[in-house]
Amino acid sequence: MKIHEYQAKRLFSRYGVQVPRGEVVFDEDEAVNIAELLMKQTGTRRVVLKAQVHAGGRGKAGGVKVVEGLDEVRRCAAELFGKRLVTHQTGSEGRTISRLLVEEAIDIDKELFVSILIDRSKKKLCIMSSTEGGMDIEEVAATHPERLEKEWFEPLAGLFQFMARNITARLGLHGQVLHKCVRALRSLADLFIREDCSLVEVNPLVVTRTGEIVALDAKITFDDNAEFRHRFHGEMLDKSELESVEQKARALGFSYVSMDGNIGCCVNGAGLAMATMDIIKLKGGEPANFLDVGGGADADTVMKAFEIILSDPRVSVIFVNIFGGILRCDVVAEGIARAVSQSGLSVPLVVRLAGTNATEGKALLDAADLNIYTAGDMETGAAIAVEKAREKMV
Amino acid sequence: MTILLDKKTRVCIQGITGGAGAVHTRKMLAAGTNIVAGVTPGKGGTLFDERIPVFDTVVHAREETGANASVIFVPAQVAADTIMDAAYAGMELVVCITEGIPAVDMVKVRSFIQQTGTRLIGPNCPGLIAPTVKQNLGIIPAHIAASGRVGVISRSGTLTYEAMAQLTALGIGQSTCIGIGGDAIGGMDFVDCLTLFEQDADTDAIVMIGEIGGVAEEEAAAFITEHVDKPVVAFIAGATAPPGKRMGHAGAIISGGRGTAAAKIEALEKAGVIVATSPARIGETLKATGTV
């Protein structure tokens, strides 16, 4: 689960990492009020407005503005609210701006990059740092990998002081700033472990002209699996950032990812669900979605899965691909038959059942006289689905 | 012989009295698995189905029954602790079926079991089955397996079944089939399993099923180039997956342009692995090599 920059910064503060003074606002009036307050506190007339959407590349896309004076604040805020921000991470449809972070402007001496993540190969936590802060870090990693320093640590032990010191020294910091940076890095590591994050990224982490270490940006992604011990994380979820169908599917316990095609897929198991999309493509079709119904696929589950799939108007055929291990295919077939006869499907349905009681399941569907195409293997099933989708198009 | 299991493997089920634990214990017993003990804290001293003694702690179960392998069916909230419990008690092999364990917990588990030398399969996996010795540790349906000489390793549960069923239908039996799980941080990986299959005198060929995300398949490819002489056939799921989206499995995500199916397929082909283009033709692709 991703959270907004202002939410991440509040967490940073709580863990002792310094962030610029500022507040999130939802309309122009609030923006002006907060800006006025910040101007009083800082004795300057400059503030920064930052669009709060879950995507990188906001600066380049015009989502971050440094403005002078309250009139400018109002004008700029009005311009940003409701605007669709398109960055290299949002896709062409972009994200609508409905929240702005109004912050004090910081006088920057150095810009650094720090991020913490889980290294799958080493099975440890990894803290990456670079003196190339503020840049697109994926580009730095690709073009100058030597400028990206890595240090690995264990969650049981945390980031030791000497490790944080080594990193800081490599970032070229000395004196009092070194100590401040060591504290900031250890706080970030502590936050990562205690809040069950899968990513903490600060780009840039800056050294100010007065020698402070300040997180100018903040990105946090939480591990969804750890939700059970972080009740308050859920409160930070901005539902407008999720595609509504994905949200609905999630509430029903499905894994669902929407795609661009027209063949709706209903599959058990993540690997098989991916493989089903692949085989549709191989047969010349385009999957409309990835959908894993999980272990139990009874009538109710099937009905709900169909509902989710059909909420996408582009879907012109549904392909059900089930491998019954624990799950019995005759039970699934009964569920499918009931779902179809009760709701009266508007699109053709192709069903492939394999594994436990597959023969019985297929016989049941063939006998049901419900306009269901059955297939013995997934290649045949995919081929029929692609053909039906094509027929619909002409 | 098979890898990891033999006829003498003595199995303990952690979470034996829970819903999933009870159901699968009965299925495993029916498949011939040598289950000697169960563990459910608070239910020690009772019998499961009037035949399997239940203990409060894994240490006690091991002392009393000589169990040396454990299968875990407990909720994600307590799963990491349960794995470490088994490792501490001296289980040589621990299979964790549980899905949804926090990644930070698993990093802690990894560092803990490094000290005990325990072999962990999973989490978020279907377990492993060795049809030749009639041992089934986990939830793989035993009826799709057949005794034989092909080893199967897979990150996905249902694709493990798919591959096994295709092999069995073609008359190709399996020595051991292992679902290693779809999480970002797990126990044994492709390289660990390939090492064992390469050494196993009763395995002639290996089927490996990977998916997008991480670099485990690339590491496997490098290992195969150097250390594996037996024929390897592979399939990689997720060629059509969009970047940045998690495809069900916690580990199945293309991030920063890395972890794509194309890169994995290329690495494997370079290592001499024959990669099936269709998930429906994994068995056929192996048969076509003429090695089994």
Side-chain angles (χ1 to χ4, degrees), chain A residues 123-137:
Chain A
K123 326 277 187 203
K124 285 181 187 205
L125 304 186
C126 177
I127 178 163
M128 294 201 288
S129 57
S130 172
T131 50
E132 309 287 307
M135 311 265 297
D136 180 350
I137 208 66

Side-chain angles (χ1 to χ4, degrees), chain A residues 179-345:
Chain A
H179 293 298
K180 285 175 184 166
C181 187
V182 165
R183 273 201 296 278
L185 296 182
R186 297 189 76 203
S187 296
L188 290 172
D190 195 30
L191 184 158
F192 186 100
I193 298 163
R194 281 169 48 191
E195 301 294 335
D196 280 295
C197 301
S198 45
L199 177 76
V200 169
E201 189 176 288
V202 193
N203 190 18
L205 178 70
V206 304
V207 182
T208 67
R209 288 202 194 283
T210 51
E212 299 297 323
I213 296 284
V214 177
L216 221 55
D217 195 10
K219 195 188 280 179
I220 291 179
T221 308
F222 294 122
D223 178 357
D224 293 338
N225 283 349
E227 254 178 38
F228 65 83
R229 58 185 169 214
H230 300 288
R231 296 283 169 227
F232 87 98
H233 285 178
E235 291 163 20
M236 287 190 265
L237 180 69
D238 178 358
K239 293 208 169 106
S240 68
E241 286 282 340
L242 296 173
E243 275 188 63
S244 63
V245 187
E246 292 189 10
Q247 219 174 297
K248 205 172 147 196
R250 193 186 144 124
L252 291 168
F254 302 143
S255 288
Y256 177 94
V257 177
S258 154
M259 305 275 294
D260 294 329
N262 54 2
I263 301 177
C265 307
C266 174
V267 190
N268 69 327
L272 190 61
M274 271 186 271
T276 304
M277 289 165 46
D278 295 346
I279 202 165
I280 285 171
K281 190 108 179 178
L282 267 179
K283 292 284 158 196
E286 291 289 341
N289 65 279
F290 163 98
L291 196 163
D292 173 11
V293 295
D298 54 14
D300 205 35
T301 314
V302 171
M303 211 127 82
K304 282 177 181 148
F306 285 180
E307 214 174 286
I308 295 281
I309 292 169
L310 288 172
S311 63
D312 179 350
R314 289 169 302 186
V315 170
S316 60
V317 52
I318 297 179
F319 180 27
V320 176
N321 186 11
I322 300 282
F323 198 108
I326 308 316
L327 187 70
R328 281 168 43 199
C329 287
D330 52 332
V331 174
V332 180
E334 263 180 50
I336 293 171
R338 190 131 38 94
V340 173
S341 55
Q342 275 176 22
S343 62
L345 269 193

Side-chain angles (χ1 to χ4, degrees), chain A residues 118 120-121 123 154-155 223 225 228-229 246 259 268-269 271-272 277-278 281-282 290 323 325-326 352 356 379, chain B residues 24 77 100-103 105 107 111 139 141 143 156 158 162 215 219 238-240 245 247 251 277-278 281:
Chain A
I118 293 175
R120 296 169 63 155
S121 293
K123 326 277 187 203
E154 292 282 354
D223 178 357
N225 283 349
F228 65 83
R229 58 185 169 214
E246 292 189 10
M259 305 275 294
N268 69 327
L272 190 61
M277 289 165 46
D278 295 346
K281 190 108 179 178
L282 267 179
F290 163 98
F323 198 108
I326 308 316
R352 178 268 180 152
T356 312
E379 195 160 305
Chain B
H24 292 291
Q77 288 90 323
I101 305 178
D105 285 10
V107 176
S111 101
I139 62 173
H143 66 88
S156 143
T158 34
E162 191 71 49
V215 291
E219 287 168 357
T240 48
K245 296 273 189 178
M247 307 303 277
T277 47
S278 159
R281 301 201 171 168

